[in-house]
Amino acid sequence: MKYSIVFSLAVMVFSCVMGVGSASPPAAVVAESDDVEALSIFDITVASPTPIQVVLPAMSTAIAITPNAHEAWTCMGGLNSVAVVDLTTNTLISTIAIPVGFNPVDIAITPDGTQAWVCNESVASITVINTANKTVSATITGPFNSPDAVAITPDGKHALVCNLATAQVYVIDVATHAASVAINVGSHPDAIAVTPDGKQAWVCNLSDSTVSVIDLSTYAVSATIGVGTSPNALAIAPDNTQVWVSNNGSQTLSVIDIASKTVIGTISLGASLSPEGIAMTPNNTTAWEANGVVTSVANVQAYSRSSQSLTRTVSYPSGVQLLSIAITPDQAPTAQFTASINRGVGAFDASASSSPYGTIASYRWNFGDGTPVQTVTTPQISHTYASGGTFTVTLTVTNSQGTSTTQTFTGQTVSNNGGPSAQTSQQIVIPKSPSKFKGKPKFYHHHKKLFLKTWWTPSHSSNIMSYIIAGYDKTRATIPVKHKRSYTLRLHPHFPHHSLSKKYKRYLQHKYTIQAVNGSGASGPGTRLHVDQ
């Protein structure tokens, strides 16, 4: 039977009296067992939170959260069922009986949120539940005989099932429910997680005090790492750099570097606490760990990933047992921007972009003209287009929790529920300037006046409404398209008897440009004046 299994999870709450939801800060929901079986919910961003209880019909033994953070699904071994809690109202909304599913011990929700997979250890089966209509869609039996933990790969194609009795991990096709591979690991595998890139699965071997690393391209164990006594839970950081392992027997946490597969830290919790579960915040900064009770009071503790030091403790009343934790998914931000074009320069403003929780941390711009992509931390940016044309400008935003367009998933619950709303595109039109812009100055000595006669070829862009002749960024003339393709400017000579020297003609060439303006008011890059020498 699975070792000490009452799970807690982190969710989002609006306040101490309202439900949780995707627009709220991350919080912890703990499956607590005392005189009342319940999930308790508290905001993990508050220094001294007050947990809220959601009473359950029986003790919960595992929890997974839907990617949109709206529902928590929890196994209740005493009732051979799964309960569903609405996290927007903090109420129990459904209890799903599992056919012949005696002793459900673990649960995982697929990354697309459509299915819940439940391990029924004592009857050697896995129940698949449709999360939309909350009915059982399949019951999978064999070849496992004691399924104790389950994780889904990030692509949603395979389920990895720990078989406690035979020290194996089975690979099951999510679509066909067929088991294809059995991988030998350590003794009594009872927890499993998958790296966000989908390349490795990490397995806690309870009786061996080791962690097995499975290469998912070959389905072979690539490393076995010694940790503390009786490892019973693990969490993989969303940035794919570390694995934190909860060691129940030695009252420690092991911190493992994924790249080198070595233990880089061991945190002692003391003999009074029994570590039972661990989870990472979506922003990669903190590991939250749930402690059961040996001789003290149960609590949930937060550790800095960078310093591996304790940063916060949330204590529970005497007699309460807390045995695991998970973090609710952070939701995708929304990208929005406006664009204006003047003389071939695009001014872009993404101030309207937003995030359900936190702020926008970065703005990634692809201007669509082959120039390098730019990532900035402020919403406004400008870009100069070298030529006219139609360009697709794409903005991708990332919020302060690290969530953008892609999901981060490690097996049971999504960490960062990225999605398409974090990216937006729009086409902009840069009017093409006339290909030729010529001029001929003429000085009238008698009147001491200087004129510049100009003419140009029409722009090849559609919807051109006018042309602007500018000198040193100062508009000298705006000529509607319906007029003829020429215009005469009156100039001011530097001295009364100007000789129209080559030097002066070169000066005119550097001074004057012409731009085309379309119906939207956008103007293209300028074409310089060419003066016959």
Side-chain angles (χ1 to χ4, degrees):
M1 184 172 180
K2 193 175 183 69
Y3 187 89
S4 299
I5 40 176
V6 177
F7 275 29
S8 62
L9 64 140
V11 299
M12 302 179 173
V13 295
F14 284 110
S15 69
C16 61
V17 295
M18 296 182 67
V20 303
S22 58
S24 305
V29 175
V30 180
E32 59 175 85
S33 177
D34 50 9
D35 55 336
V36 175
E37 309 299 340
L39 300 182
S40 63
I41 306 168
F42 65 86
D43 184 345
I44 64 174
T45 66
V46 176
S48 301
T50 301
I52 310 164
Q53 280 191 335
V54 179
V55 177
L56 300 176
M59 179 188 297
S60 65
T61 56
I63 302 170
I65 308 170
T66 54
N68 63 8
H70 288 176
E71 294 177 349
W73 288 58
T74 179
C75 299
M76 296 186 297
L79 293 180
N80 301 324
S81 64
V82 169
V84 183
V85 173
D86 186 334
L87 298 180
T88 66
T89 61
N90 289 344
T91 56
L92 179 67
I93 61 173
S94 181
T95 300
I96 305 167
I98 302 175
V100 300
F102 183 67
N103 191 25
V105 294
D106 200 18
I107 186 169
I109 292 179
T110 54
D112 64 3
T114 61
Q115 297 180 4
W117 283 55
V118 181
C119 287
N120 309 307
E121 183 185 21
S122 297
V123 292
S125 69
I126 292 175
T127 301
V128 181
I129 303 173
N130 182 310
T131 57
N133 58 27
K134 296 174 177 56
T135 58
V136 174
S137 58
T139 299
I140 306 169
T141 58
F144 38 78
N145 58 16
S146 52
D148 197 55
V150 60
I152 310 296
T153 54
D155 61 8
K157 293 182 179 181
H158 296 95
L160 308 175
V161 179
C162 292
N163 198 56
L164 195 71
T166 62
Q168 291 175 309
V169 171
Y170 284 93
V171 180
I172 300 175
D173 189 294
V174 168
T176 66
H177 301 160
S180 57
V181 181
I183 306 163
N184 294 323
V185 291
S187 180
H188 293 102
D190 74 333
I192 186 169
V194 185
T195 53
D197 60 9
K199 294 181 179 181
Q200 298 174 353
W202 289 61
V203 182
C204 285
N205 303 310
L206 183 69
S207 299
D208 284 354
S209 298
T210 62
V211 172
S212 296
V213 183
I214 300 173
D215 184 333
L216 292 180
S217 66
T218 61
Y219 294 129
V221 173
S222 60
T224 301
I225 305 165
V227 291
T229 306
S230 303
N232 64 335
L234 75 167
I236 297 178
D239 64 4
N240 205 33
T241 60
Q242 291 181 352
V243 177
W244 285 50
V245 181
S246 169
N247 304 306
N248 182 271
S250 55
Q251 289 86 48
T252 60
L253 303 176
S254 298
V255 182
I256 304 173
D257 177 72
I258 289 179
S260 63
K261 298 183 178 61
T262 57
V263 176
I264 58 174
T266 300
I267 302 169
S268 178
L269 304 176
S272 62
L273 296 174
S274 172
E276 301 289 352
I278 195 163
M280 297 289 179
T281 55
N283 65 2
N284 288 292
T285 63
T286 307
W288 282 83
E289 187 267 329
N291 289 306
V293 176
V294 179
T295 61
S296 182
V297 176
N299 60 37
V300 177
Q301 295 181 324
Y303 289 87
S304 167
R305 277 194 55 208
S306 58
S307 65
Q308 299 180 18
S309 59
L310 179 65
T311 59
R312 193 144 29 116
T313 298
V314 180
S315 297
Y316 278 71
S318 177
V320 174
Q321 289 280 14
L322 312 175
L323 300 175
S324 187
I325 192 168
I327 306 294
T328 49
D330 184 65
Q331 301 303 302
T334 299
Q336 294 182 14
F337 71 92
T338 59
S340 60
I341 309 299
N342 184 27
R343 298 178 180 177
V345 178
F348 304 97
D349 189 344
S351 298
S353 298
S354 62
S355 179
Y357 171 69
T359 59
I360 302 299
S362 67
Y363 305 81
R364 185 176 185 270
W365 295 94
N366 185 331
F367 297 109
D369 60 350
T371 57
V373 172
Q374 296 187 47
T375 301
V376 295
T377 57
T378 54
Q380 291 89 16
I381 194 172
S382 63
H383 180 71
T384 300
Y385 287 87
S387 61
T390 301
F391 304 93
T392 300
V393 179
T394 301
L395 168 66
T396 306
V397 296
T398 301
N399 69 13
S400 52
Q401 299 294 301
T403 307
S404 186
T405 57
T406 59
Q407 277 190 338
T408 306
F409 183 67
T410 58
Q412 289 82 28
T413 294
V414 167
S415 295
N416 304 83
N417 191 33
S421 66
Q423 185 175 90
T424 187
S425 299
Q426 59 177 280
Q427 283 192 333
I428 63 167
V429 177
I430 307 293
K432 294 180 179 179
S433 298
S435 59
K436 294 180 181 180
F437 179 41
K438 293 186 176 183
K440 184 176 182 179
K442 186 172 183 180
F443 184 70
Y444 293 88
H445 293 273
H446 180 70
H447 300 286
K448 296 182 180 179
K449 294 180 180 179
L450 179 63
F451 295 90
L452 177 66
K453 183 177 181 180
T454 64
W455 62 94
W456 58 90
T457 57
S459 169
H460 293 295
S461 295
S462 60
N463 196 29
I464 297 300
M465 305 300 292
S466 63
Y467 296 97
I468 291 177
I469 296 176
Y472 290 149
D473 294 332
K474 182 179 179 180
T475 299
R476 292 295 309 274
T478 300
I479 304 98
V481 167
K482 63 182 179 180
H483 288 193
K484 59 184 179 180
R485 303 291 186 264
S486 64
Y487 191 82
T488 300
L489 297 174
R490 181 178 176 180
L491 306 180
H492 298 282
H494 289 177
F495 47 88
H497 303 288
H498 204 284
S499 63
L500 298 181
S501 65
K502 289 185 177 181
K503 181 178 180 180
Y504 184 72
K505 291 179 180 180
R506 287 195 297 269
Y507 158 77
L508 293 177
Q509 290 189 153
H510 287 287
K511 181 176 181 179
Y512 290 103
T513 60
I514 189 169
Q515 297 103 26
V517 182
N518 66 16
S520 301
S523 59
T527 299
R528 288 196 176 278
L529 176 70
H530 175 76
V531 178
D532 291 335
Q533 300 299 315

